[in-house]
Amino acid sequence: MKLHEHQAKQIFSQYGINIPNGQVVSDAISAKNTTEGLGGSAVLKAQVHAGGRGKAGGVKIAKTPLEASELAASMLGQHLVTPQTDASGVPVNSLLIEELADIRSEMYLAITIDRDHRCPVMIISKSGGMDIEEVAHNNPNDIHSEPIEPVLGLMPFQTRRMTRQLGLEGSIARDTAHVMRALYDIFVENDCSLIEINPLIITKDNRIIALDAKLDLEDDALFRHQDLISLRDRSQEDRLEAEASDQDIAYVNLDGDVGCLVNGAGLAMATLDVANAAGAAPANFLDVGGGATDEKVAEAVSIILSDPKVKRVLVNVFGGILRCDVAARGTVLAYQRMNSDLPLIVRMLGTNLEEGKDILAKSGLNVTFADTLTEAAQAIRESQ
Ligand code: GDP
Ligand code: MN
């Protein structure tokens, strides 16, 4: 689950990281009043679950309260398209209005899980800001990473090494080390999968301030953080993915037109490969899970069928805990409810196979059966 910048900044503040004064607004008049309260000028920042806002017009500076209200009116209610969104973008329902910062330099600071080291890793750069991707590409030596042994936590020698790599000294080095420790505490105590400050700035009067904040929470640990669950903003999420997560269905929306219903994540991955090998592209990853009922399969297939990209559906089920007759009944139920006539390619194996096939064959749906993955790929090719 992703948090908004302003939500993440509240958490930063609780852990003693400096953030600019500011307020969240959702209308132009409040934007004007808030800017007045901040001394007459401010930065307006679209609160969306996507980075790259600065380059996409999602971060604007207002020199007067009137300008703030005009900018707010032009930003609110629009969809912001950034390099991190799809072509339709994400809705801008609120803005964070903040006092302007006197930036001397912009640094980058983040923590994520390093799968190679199997531990959290802190990533730092003295060249933070909007071009961090180019820095990573053109000057990889300007980016340092520090794996953190979870049993020990972030050690003083590590913060000393990192502040040296950032070229910091004296009180600035001390204050930055404090931010690093706070960031690690936030990461661990809130079960984050990613936390990022870009830019972490040094002001002209030598203060360290988090000008931006990105925080992703690990969904599987959310049950331990009831207070954070209420921060979820569904308006920022893919509609079908949000519906699927409500039903406990593992679903990721993809670009292609072959809808895939599968049980088991490994088989689902293999099914994406089958679709690709057939020269087609999958519309989704979907793992309906082992203990699914008719109704849950029907929900899953309905989610697939309500995606306008989908032109045909591939059901690939290994009937173990999920029996073939359950998969068949659920699929037929969804096709009937959605009144769909899309071609259906079914490859089933295992428990109650004959019963499952029988249900599908008698359903009146446009079904092609495949016994092997090769046959399934062939059927996909023929359905184009
Ligand atoms: P992002 O593009 O989505 O990462 O949005 P950021 O919050 O990082 O803002 C993008 C850029 O806007 C920053 O790197 C800063 O250079 C600039 N910016 C943000 N706030 C201020 C501010 O208060 N004053 C000035 N001068 N620039 C700002
Ligand atoms: Mn940023």
Side-chain angles (χ1 to χ4, degrees):
M1 185 181 109
K2 291 182 174 169
L3 296 192
H4 280 298
E5 175 190 6
H6 70 90
Q7 296 166 333
K9 277 180 168 166
Q10 286 313 311
I11 297 175
F12 282 12
S13 178
Q14 285 158 18
Y15 281 78
I17 298 176
N18 293 327
I19 56 166
N21 286 322
Q23 201 172 319
V24 188
V25 305
S26 49
D27 64 84
I29 293 173
S30 310
K32 180 165 174 267
N33 294 339
T34 303
T35 304
E36 239 156 38
L38 292 172
S41 57
V43 58
L44 283 66
K45 311 185 74 182
Q47 295 303 286
V48 292
H49 285 183
R53 296 166 304 168
K55 287 184 173 170
V59 178
K60 294 200 168 134
I61 289 176
K63 295 192 191 65
T64 65
L66 182 64
E67 193 184 356
S69 82
E70 287 166 359
L71 285 172
S74 71
M75 294 165 83
L76 285 165
Q78 302 296 312
H79 278 242
L80 187 69
V81 179
T82 86
Q84 295 182 18
T85 69
D86 62 19
S88 55
V90 276
V92 181
N93 299 323
S94 60
L95 302 172
L96 176 60
I97 315 273
E98 283 183 339
E99 65 186 352
L100 288 179
D102 243 345
I103 303 173
R104 183 205 301 266
S105 68
E106 301 187 321
M107 302 183 282
Y108 178 94
L109 194 55
I111 307 177
T112 186
I113 299 290
D114 181 332
R115 286 168 202 274
D116 290 336
H117 289 94
R118 299 179 187 175
C119 65
V121 61
M122 186 168 278
I123 302 165
I124 60 164
S125 176
K126 60 175 181 297
S127 316
M130 292 196 284
D131 294 324
I132 190 70
E133 280 85 7
E134 278 96 280
V135 174
H137 190 255
N138 299 330
N139 303 71
N141 291 336
D142 274 356
I143 296 183
H144 301 275
S145 60
E146 187 76 35
I148 303 169
E149 165 58 47
V151 174
L152 299 175
L154 183 62
M155 300 294 280
F157 76 88
Q158 297 183 293
T159 54
R160 279 199 297 276
R161 174 154 62 205
M162 288 190 282
T163 51
R164 234 183 355 261
Q165 286 165 333
L166 292 169
L168 307 178
E169 289 176 346
S171 71
I172 294 181
R174 272 200 308 280
D175 292 349
T176 305
H178 171 78
V179 173
M180 290 170 173
R181 283 192 299 274
L183 207 65
Y184 184 68
D185 289 343
I186 297 172
F187 187 86
V188 172
E189 288 169 19
N190 297 281
D191 290 313
C192 300
S193 54
L194 171 74
I195 181 163
E196 182 188 86
I197 310 180
N198 183 33
L200 177 69
I201 61 160
I202 306 173
T203 63
K204 293 197 176 130
D205 57 358
N206 292 337
R207 285 176 305 136
I208 304 293
I209 299 178
L211 217 55
D212 193 6
K214 185 167 172 39
L215 201 160
D216 294 355
L217 301 164
E218 173 55 54
D219 290 338
D220 288 327
L222 264 182
F223 72 96
R224 302 206 286 205
H225 305 283
Q226 293 302 323
D227 49 328
L228 297 175
I229 291 175
S230 64
L231 301 180
R232 180 171 175 190
D233 180 355
R234 292 176 70 101
S235 77
Q236 300 290 317
E237 298 174 16
D238 179 274
R239 181 179 61 85
L240 295 177
E241 289 185 5
E243 271 174 33
S245 89
D246 290 345
Q247 309 291 341
D248 244 348
I249 296 166
Y251 171 88
V252 181
N253 202 344
L254 303 171
D255 293 333
D257 67 4
V258 183
C260 300
L261 176 90
V262 191
N263 66 326
L267 190 58
M269 297 298 281
T271 307
L272 303 193
D273 288 346
V274 170
N276 280 314
N284 64 276
F285 168 96
L286 191 155
D287 169 14
V288 71
T293 57
D294 296 5
E295 194 50 49
K296 189 166 173 193
V297 172
E299 305 268 12
V301 177
S302 299
I303 287 170
I304 293 173
L305 292 175
S306 52
D307 178 352
K309 295 191 306 287
V310 170
K311 298 283 177 281
R312 48 245 159 101
V313 176
L314 170 62
V315 171
N316 189 10
V317 167
F318 183 77
I321 301 172
L322 171 65
R323 303 187 319 257
C324 294
D325 61 308
V326 173
R329 258 194 302 277
T331 303
V332 173
L333 212 57
Y335 263 77
Q336 287 166 348
R337 280 183 197 158
M338 304 290 292
N339 205 5
S340 173
D341 56 3
L342 290 181
L344 177 62
I345 298 144
V346 178
R347 185 248 181 185
M348 293 198 300
L349 271 182
T351 312
N352 292 358
L353 172 63
E354 289 314 318
E355 194 183 340
K357 275 188 161 173
D358 197 48
I359 292 166
L360 286 161
K362 289 182 180 150
S363 67
L365 301 181
N366 176 5
V367 192
T368 309
F369 289 103
D371 287 333
T372 63
L373 284 180
T374 312
E375 283 178 37
Q378 181 65 28
I380 291 174
R381 227 174 273 125
E382 283 162 10
S383 73
Q384 326 225 20

